[in-house]
């Protein structure tokens, strides 16, 4: 529970400029130094200096921990010095600074480990185990963000639903291991032949989906036609000739949900299958002619 809350907080902070995160951490250390002086020697607030070190380690990495740990130890030393604390030996304040530095470094390593674990767990949760590309959860989260951006800024985007033609025959004739190799090769080929901004995911069986942000209708079909040809050439070593049926929908008006986007793209994929396979069928959800239009209809369908 606590880790989940911290991840949400640090997730927001990670969108800030790096200099802002560092400035905030330094400011907090300075404020805690003043608080340490005001509260006097009876109240030990050394543990509070961990607070600014934790987000800096999580967001900026462990290379910033040592400077901040030294700064925190120095702030406590200055607070005690200004307060007139006397030591039996000049080595005592050095020991205090050093011991606190070690504690802060240990805490930072624990935080860094938790961060790596959280990132790895998130990656596993969004990765298809067979192909190594995104899974359906990965696609749904990315598509939801793209729909929100489209609703805000009004830019188009395209969803392509890709289905391997007669894939069952590969499994039946050559075995499931050959089928798995084919799916892995297809996933890797898809990922290698799209733009850096595009997202590729396997959503089940031999079905893949590609999210193309900022892709208008006039560019989407030529792009996916080129992608289909590249997939065909790169998968010539598959156990059997490999073709794909692709259903494409360009959203000039964003859909109400990810499910709606998938449903419309899947419908076009079915049309491509019925048209003889190894083809692309494309539709456009146009911009409404006026604000009074409640829901757009599919136009420009190639059947």
């Amino acid at each position: 529970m606590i880790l989940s809350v911290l991840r949400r907080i640090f997730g927001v902070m990670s969108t800030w400029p790096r200099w802002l995160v560092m400035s905030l951490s330094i400011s907090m250390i300075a404020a805690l130094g003043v608080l340490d002086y005001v509260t006097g020697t009876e109240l030990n607030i050394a543990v509070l200096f961990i607070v600014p070190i934790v987000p800096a380690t999580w967001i900026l990495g462990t290379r910033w921990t040592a400077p901040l740990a030294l700064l925190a130890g120095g702030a406590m030393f200055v607070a005690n010095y200004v307060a007139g604390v006397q030591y039996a030996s000049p080595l005592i304040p050095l020991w205090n600074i050093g011991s606190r530095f070690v504690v802060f470094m240990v805490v930072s390593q624990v935080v860094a480990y938790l961060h790596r674990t959280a990132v790895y767990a998130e990656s596993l949760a969004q990765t298809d185990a067979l192909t190594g590309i995104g899974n359906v959860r990965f696609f749904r989260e990315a598509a939801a963000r793209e729909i929100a951006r489209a609703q805000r800024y009004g830019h188009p985007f395209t969803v392509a639903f890709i289905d391997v033609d007669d894939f069952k025959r590969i499994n039946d004739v050559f075995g499931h291991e050959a089928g798995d190799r084919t799916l892995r090769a297809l996933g890797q080929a898809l990922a290698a032949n799209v733009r850096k901004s595009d997202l590729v995911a396997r959503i089940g069986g031999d079905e893949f989906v590609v999210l193309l942000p900022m892709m208008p209708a006039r560019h989407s079909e030529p792009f996916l036609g080129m992608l289909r040809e590249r997939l065909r050439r790169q998968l010539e070593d598959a156990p059997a000739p490999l073709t794909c049926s692709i259903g494409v929908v360009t959203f000039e008006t964003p859909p109400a949900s990810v499910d709606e986007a998938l449903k419309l793209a899947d419908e076009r994929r079915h049309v491509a299958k019925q048209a003889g396979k190894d083809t692309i069928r494309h539709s456009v959800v146009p911009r409404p002619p006026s604000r009074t239009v409640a829901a757009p209809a599919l136009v420009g369908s190639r059947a």
Side-chain angles (χ1 to χ4, degrees):
M1 178 64 180
I2 295 177
L3 182 58
S4 177
V5 172
L6 288 177
R7 286 179 61 188
R8 286 197 291 268
I9 295 173
F10 296 159
V12 173
M13 293 180 65
S14 64
T15 63
W16 299 354
R18 296 173 67 87
W19 66 264
L20 181 58
V21 177
M22 179 56 67
S23 298
L24 180 61
S25 297
I26 294 174
S27 299
M28 290 180 65
I29 289 174
L32 288 171
V34 173
L35 180 64
D36 194 18
Y37 167 74
V38 171
T39 55
T41 58
E42 293 184 358
L43 183 63
N44 190 338
I45 64 168
V47 67
L48 295 181
F49 283 87
I50 295 175
V51 174
I53 294 176
V54 168
T57 300
W58 187 283
I59 299 169
L60 304 178
T62 54
R63 63 178 180 146
W64 295 102
T65 303
L68 289 175
L70 286 174
L71 185 61
M76 285 183 282
F77 170 77
V78 170
N80 290 336
Y81 178 81
V82 174
V85 176
Q86 300 294 321
Y87 299 100
S89 168
L91 296 178
I92 293 178
L94 294 177
W95 168 263
N96 291 341
I97 293 175
S99 60
R100 290 163 182 167
F101 174 80
V102 170
V103 171
F104 294 151
M105 291 299 294
V106 170
V107 170
S108 73
Q109 292 302 315
V110 173
V111 171
Y113 171 77
L114 291 175
H115 183 220
R116 290 193 299 270
T117 301
V119 170
Y120 181 66
E122 185 70 18
S123 176
L124 287 180
Q126 295 186 336
T127 301
D128 177 61
L130 177 62
T131 62
I133 62 175
N135 59 15
V136 65
R137 174 184 171 184
F138 170 78
F139 172 78
R140 285 185 171 278
E141 292 179 357
R145 291 192 298 268
E146 186 61 27
I147 290 172
R149 281 195 292 266
Q151 291 171 340
R152 181 173 182 180
Y153 299 110
H155 61 66
F157 69 92
T158 295
V159 174
F161 200 117
I162 301 173
D163 188 359
V164 180
D165 297 326
D166 301 315
F167 179 75
K168 184 176 183 296
R169 183 164 57 91
I170 296 179
N171 280 336
D172 292 343
V173 175
F174 301 97
H176 287 279
E177 184 177 348
D180 289 347
R181 287 198 304 269
T182 301
L183 292 176
R184 279 194 292 269
L186 179 58
Q188 293 166 6
L190 278 171
N193 286 283
V194 297
R195 304 171 302 174
K196 289 184 179 180
S197 59
D198 300 334
L199 299 171
V200 178
R202 177 180 176 231
I203 60 174
D206 59 344
E207 298 174 343
F208 296 78
V209 67
V210 181
L211 176 66
L212 304 164
M214 301 292 290
M215 178 70 77
R218 66 182 184 275
H219 294 155
S220 57
E221 190 166 343
F223 176 84
L224 288 162
M226 176 189 65
L227 177 62
R228 187 184 58 170
E229 292 302 319
R230 288 183 177 179
L231 292 177
R232 180 182 295 156
R233 290 197 302 268
Q234 293 184 9
L235 297 174
E236 289 178 348
D237 294 333
L242 188 66
T243 61
C244 296
S245 297
I246 305 178
V248 186
V249 180
T250 297
F251 294 94
E252 294 179 353
T253 294
S257 66
V258 176
D259 286 333
E260 181 182 340
L262 280 173
K263 177 177 178 292
L264 294 177
D266 190 25
E267 288 175 355
R268 302 313 298 161
R269 190 259 307 186
H270 278 294
V271 173
K273 286 280 191 183
Q274 294 168 359
K277 306 176 183 178
D278 190 22
T279 188
I280 298 174
R281 289 297 180 261
H282 183 210
S283 294
V284 179
V285 178
R287 298 183 189 280
S290 68
R291 294 182 180 272
T292 58
V293 177
L298 286 174
V299 301
S301 299
R302 293 185 61 232

